[in-house]
Amino acid sequence: MANGLPDPPCGLLTADSARSLVDSVDAFLFDCDGVIWKGDKLIEGVSETMELLRKLGKKLVFVTNNSRKSRRQYSKKFRSLGLEVTEDEIFTSSFAAAMFLKLNNFPPEKKVYVVGEDGILEELKLAGFECFGGPEDGKKNIKLEADFYFEHDKSVGAVVVGLDQYFNYYKMQYARICISENPGCLFIATNRDPSGHMTSGQEWPGAGTMVAAVSCSVQKEPIVVGKPSSFLMDFLLESFNLETSRMCMVGDRLDTDILFGQNTGCKTLLVLSGCTALPELLDASNKIHPDLYTNSVYDLVGLLQK
């Protein structure tokens, strides 16, 4: 036992293992919600940890499944919390959705319907796609009257579903009817996270809940572009001259962050500052084990200075 934590099947971060980890990698990939911040509140010691790792010559990259913001908007959020992070260092699931369509030669005459927020809309527009939906459709209502017929745009060729605090019956039906009735319409999910720290005080339903609702209504599984899919890693490798074996994925979720790291050949570090509690990690039914785990990213600072 160290740092007050017991030893599960994976290794507890110690002074020796922290030094070994830092020496063995060139880049740290950080999840954001529950690792860097909770809602709009910075987690203690994040600034000091980033400063130390940069002094040690490590590349820092931020890989988030939260699609509510674009890379530009996330860069602004980092600055508001006193952290200097450029758009090029940020990889979001909203960006991944836009890049998936681009790589798969999505027809320019087709439109994208968005169940989600401004982050998805902005990234799609930056990639050159015509899109609609988002927060604006959160204001629309349906009355299920006898002769009511739901009209939709038959030129929609893809529906992207992400975290959406404005999710409603109108959006669910629009997504359902496009996927079901428009020939070849793609069903894309930014991620399937069941919950997340949208505010500092508690967890909230994640994008996975919206995805599950649409998936159930169409009886079809989506294409998932966020973690744990390795799709985002392809862009990361194009942007930086790094090998995955020289990267460490730092996250608070076993089924997304840690699995993403394992799927792509990275070292993995679980922090207990977010969604995953120690009992879940220690549970015999858990089959996803990080290489190392610790309370928070700030532990790196104390352990490396020993």
Side-chain angles (χ1 to χ4, degrees):
M1 180 178 287
N3 289 345
L5 299 174
D7 298 324
C10 50
L12 175 66
L13 191 69
T14 63
D16 286 342
S17 60
R19 281 190 290 269
S20 177
L21 175 64
V22 170
D23 289 344
S24 68
V25 300
D26 301 314
F28 283 85
L29 316 182
F30 290 97
D31 177 44
C32 294
D33 295 312
V35 178
I36 303 299
W37 55 59
K38 288 183 178 180
D40 291 324
K41 185 177 180 181
L42 196 66
I43 291 174
E44 182 184 2
V46 165
S47 181
E48 294 89 338
T49 306
M50 287 175 56
E51 182 180 359
L52 175 61
L53 292 176
R54 281 186 168 137
K55 281 183 178 178
L56 294 172
K58 306 304 174 183
K59 180 70 181 173
L60 306 185
V61 183
F62 301 88
V63 186
T64 177
N65 265 357
N66 193 328
S67 61
R68 292 183 61 210
K69 298 181 187 294
S70 64
R71 290 166 298 158
R72 178 190 64 82
Q73 291 168 323
Y74 270 116
S75 182
K76 186 177 179 180
K77 179 174 181 175
F78 274 106
R79 287 196 301 274
S80 74
L81 294 172
L83 304 173
E84 284 301 319
V85 176
T86 67
E87 289 182 38
D88 292 340
E89 295 172 313
I90 302 168
F91 291 80
T92 68
S93 61
S94 52
F95 171 70
M99 291 302 101
F100 178 87
L101 292 174
K102 199 165 189 175
L103 276 183
N104 285 277
N105 299 312
F106 186 70
E109 69 275 10
K110 293 287 187 179
K111 298 176 186 175
V112 183
Y113 183 70
V114 173
V115 178
E117 299 189 26
D118 289 333
I120 300 174
L121 291 168
E122 183 169 317
E123 292 292 358
L124 288 170
K125 289 172 184 176
L126 285 171
F129 299 117
E130 184 176 354
C131 55
F132 66 103
E136 191 63 30
D137 280 4
K139 304 171 186 176
K140 298 177 181 178
N141 299 309
I142 290 176
K143 287 187 178 180
L144 296 175
E145 299 171 342
D147 296 326
F148 179 70
Y149 184 80
F150 192 91
E151 298 286 351
H152 77 288
D153 191 330
K154 294 177 175 56
S155 68
V156 170
V159 172
V160 177
V161 182
L163 183 61
D164 190 350
Q165 64 179 311
Y166 310 106
F167 188 61
N168 61 12
Y169 204 55
Y170 178 93
K171 291 185 178 185
M172 196 189 311
Q173 171 65 350
Y174 210 109
R176 189 204 69 79
I177 206 164
C178 288
I179 296 167
S180 299
E181 297 188 11
N182 290 5
C185 183
L186 299 172
F187 175 21
I188 299 170
T190 60
N191 65 90
R192 301 191 87 156
D193 292 15
S195 62
H197 281 281
M198 312 313 167
T199 63
S200 59
Q202 58 190 168
E203 289 185 51
W204 294 77
T209 59
M210 292 88 199
V211 173
V214 175
S215 179
C216 181
S217 73
V218 297
Q219 290 294 288
K220 182 178 181 180
E221 291 299 308
I223 300 164
V224 181
V225 294
K227 296 174 293 184
S229 167
S230 59
F231 184 73
L232 269 175
M233 183 60 78
D234 297 335
F235 292 95
L236 199 153
L237 293 175
E238 282 184 17
S239 302
F240 307 109
N241 185 25
L242 297 168
E243 296 179 8
T244 56
S245 62
R246 298 285 299 177
M247 299 178 185
C248 177
M249 179 67 216
V250 184
D252 69 319
R253 294 196 72 96
L254 293 167
D255 57 352
T256 55
D257 303 321
I258 301 307
L259 194 56
F260 171 75
Q262 292 175 346
N263 286 346
T264 55
C266 299
K267 295 176 175 63
T268 54
L269 172 63
L270 176 75
V271 291
L272 303 176
S273 53
C275 290
T276 303
L278 188 59
E280 182 181 349
L281 177 63
L282 296 172
D283 195 290
S285 65
N286 172 39
K287 304 302 180 186
I288 304 172
H289 300 292
D291 295 314
L292 296 162
Y293 82 104
T294 193
N295 282 309
S296 75
V297 294
Y298 194 29
D299 290 338
L300 278 168
V301 176
L303 292 170
L304 289 171
Q305 291 175 345
K306 283 187 177 180

